[in-house]
Amino acid sequence: MQSRVGSYGSLENGKESYTRTTNQSSRPLPLRLLQFLLLFLGVGIVFSCLSLYTSRFLKIQNVVPLVQSRIQSCVQEPNNLEKWIRPPSNLIHTMNDSELFWRASFVPRIKEYPFKRTPKIAFMFLTRGPLPMAPLWDKFFKGNEKLYSIYIHSLPSYHPDFPTSSAFYGRQIPSQVAEWGMMSMCDGERRLLANALLDISNEWFVLLSEACIPLQNFSIVYRYISRSRFSFIGAFDEPGPYGRGRYNENMSPEVNLTEWRKGSQWFELSRKLAVDIVQDSVYYPKFEQFCRPACYVDEHYFPTMLSIQSPHLLANRSLTWVDWSRGGAHPATFGKADVNENFFKKISDGKPCIYNNQPTSLCFLFARKFAPSALEYLLEHSSKYLGF
């Protein structure tokens, strides 16, 4: 019995020992399991966050182009006729001369316009800097905004400060240095023509300087130019050292001596002739290379080229009055002491001229050269002498 008891006791002791051992070995399992579950939960949360962020990011990426495309579709210019006929809202561009001349040389082959077009006069000012006569011109332009355009070519370093109310405000084109008597002067004139040609409503092109003034009111000027069958540019066959004497035989065969012409720099041209000048690549190289001082290219290039190509379209005279009576390389300049009633009478009582093959006493629409000191008198008496 004792042995059984002992055995029983041993068994009980063994069972107790086993139970303790089992309990001791099984207690850590829930803790490890909890740690594992927590780790798994943490990883799951991280992946969930990443998944949510990625999903939102991709949705944003998909939405942004859609929004951008919708915005672009709202602000995109309509691809219709209006896009082609609307004049540039900003005259500043990044085209070089080659690109500009190429763009400006586009010509419709159908003569009739499929829209209501009001022909305008492009007033092109070739200047070094300020326009001292701008207040007088503003008075001249007032009330005729739909019938004209203005373009200014000055030294690149000049920054105009016209008031926003002025017709000259924001009308400066990308310019380069233009030297008197050099091809760069003609480059400036071609640049003015090309920029003005970008506005399809510009039909006539008048070249002026900072020292020019109008001699008539706008209505007379517009009617005179628009009704003329000819463009106003001088092209004379002048013998002697200052005409044919400037011809260089190397200009042949494009230009022969008998075709050599001389004329005033200040012209008025039709749109057709303006395009002819801008697109020229035949005569330009000859004049650039072989007409240099004492051959003054601005007096010969355009008159010679146009008299060869389109002599039947030229009035062979200028609309700008100048006074060469004082002699020298430049015409007379008139200041405050010079402008008076007799001065304007002298201009109007000049020799008659031909207009549309008929004689007329109205020969000049503009005059030069006027000093800034003359501005005050001109503004005060413009209604009496100039008609505005």
Side-chain angles (χ1 to χ4, degrees), residues 224 229-230 317 350-363:
Y224 195 97
R229 299 196 299 269
F230 305 95
R317 66 181 178 91
K351 296 180 180 180
C353 57
I354 301 299
Y355 177 79
N356 286 340
N357 297 324
Q358 299 294 325
T360 180
S361 59
L362 181 56
C363 301

Side-chain angles (χ1 to χ4, degrees), residues 58-352:
L58 290 176
K59 287 182 179 179
I60 292 174
Q61 290 290 90
N62 291 332
V63 170
V64 169
L66 179 60
V67 173
Q68 289 178 341
S69 64
R70 288 180 178 176
I71 293 175
Q72 289 174 353
S73 64
C74 292
V75 300
Q76 189 176 12
E77 293 185 359
N79 190 18
N80 54 23
L81 183 62
E82 178 68 19
K83 176 182 177 182
W84 293 93
I85 65 177
R86 185 172 60 246
S89 58
N90 188 352
L91 297 185
I92 302 301
H93 55 75
T94 58
M95 289 184 285
N96 59 36
D97 282 352
S98 297
E99 295 167 339
L100 173 63
F101 296 161
W102 177 82
R103 173 64 184 86
S105 64
F106 288 2
V107 178
R109 301 301 295 269
I110 299 177
K111 293 183 179 180
E112 293 185 5
Y113 293 91
F115 58 92
K116 185 178 179 180
R117 177 178 181 262
T118 301
K120 297 189 296 185
I121 300 176
F123 292 86
M124 308 177 302
F125 290 84
L126 183 63
T127 78
R128 289 185 295 270
L131 285 166
M133 296 296 154
L136 184 67
W137 282 102
D138 276 330
K139 194 174 182 181
F140 167 80
F141 288 126
K142 188 176 181 180
N144 300 282
E145 286 72 17
K146 294 183 179 181
L147 299 177
Y148 71 84
S149 301
I150 294 175
Y151 302 86
I152 305 170
H153 185 291
S154 64
L155 291 174
S157 58
Y158 172 66
H159 301 286
D161 57 351
F162 299 110
T164 56
S165 59
S166 173
F168 295 92
Y169 180 78
R171 303 309 298 176
Q172 190 172 20
I173 67 169
S175 307
Q176 298 181 29
V177 174
E179 299 179 89
W180 179 74
M182 304 297 291
M183 197 52 151
S184 59
M185 182 70 73
C186 293
D187 291 336
E189 296 171 11
R190 296 178 81 203
R191 214 170 282 125
L192 280 165
L193 287 170
N195 278 276
L197 282 167
L198 297 182
D199 185 346
I200 199 169
S201 294
N202 287 331
E203 185 64 27
W204 306 283
F205 304 78
V206 178
L207 182 67
L208 303 158
S209 76
E210 68 268 33
C212 284
I213 67 166
L215 292 176
Q216 307 292 335
N217 63 47
F218 188 91
S219 297
I220 293 177
V221 170
Y222 186 89
R223 184 165 59 249
Y224 195 97
I225 291 176
S226 63
R227 293 182 179 181
S228 175
R229 299 196 299 269
F230 305 95
S231 290
F232 294 92
I233 182 170
F236 304 99
D237 181 7
E238 182 178 316
Y242 304 114
R244 288 197 175 196
R246 295 174 176 175
Y247 175 77
N248 188 319
E249 293 181 353
N250 290 309
M251 303 191 76
S252 177
E254 286 78 9
V255 180
N256 297 315
L257 178 60
T258 56
E259 299 170 321
W260 184 254
R261 296 293 183 269
K262 180 181 179 180
S264 171
Q265 177 184 6
W266 314 105
F267 56 70
E268 179 277 325
L269 298 175
S270 66
R271 189 173 182 90
K272 178 196 179 305
L273 297 185
V275 172
D276 288 344
I277 287 177
V278 166
Q279 70 180 7
D280 172 49
S281 60
V282 175
Y283 301 97
Y284 182 94
K286 289 290 185 176
F287 279 90
E288 182 183 32
Q289 187 173 359
F290 300 114
C291 183
R292 299 185 178 185
C295 176
Y296 300 104
V297 67
D298 53 276
E299 295 180 356
H300 296 280
Y301 174 28
F302 298 157
T304 300
M305 187 195 83
L306 294 179
S307 65
I308 293 174
Q309 292 184 335
S310 305
H312 60 290
L313 298 179
L314 307 182
N316 201 22
R317 66 181 178 91
S318 174
L319 293 177
T320 302
W321 180 89
V322 292
D323 183 3
W324 291 96
S325 62
R326 300 180 186 180
H330 300 280
T333 299
F334 304 101
K336 182 178 181 179
D338 300 302
V339 288
N340 50 44
E341 185 173 356
N342 290 332
F343 174 82
F344 288 103
K345 187 177 180 180
K346 174 184 176 182
I347 297 176
S348 60
D349 290 347
K351 296 180 180 180

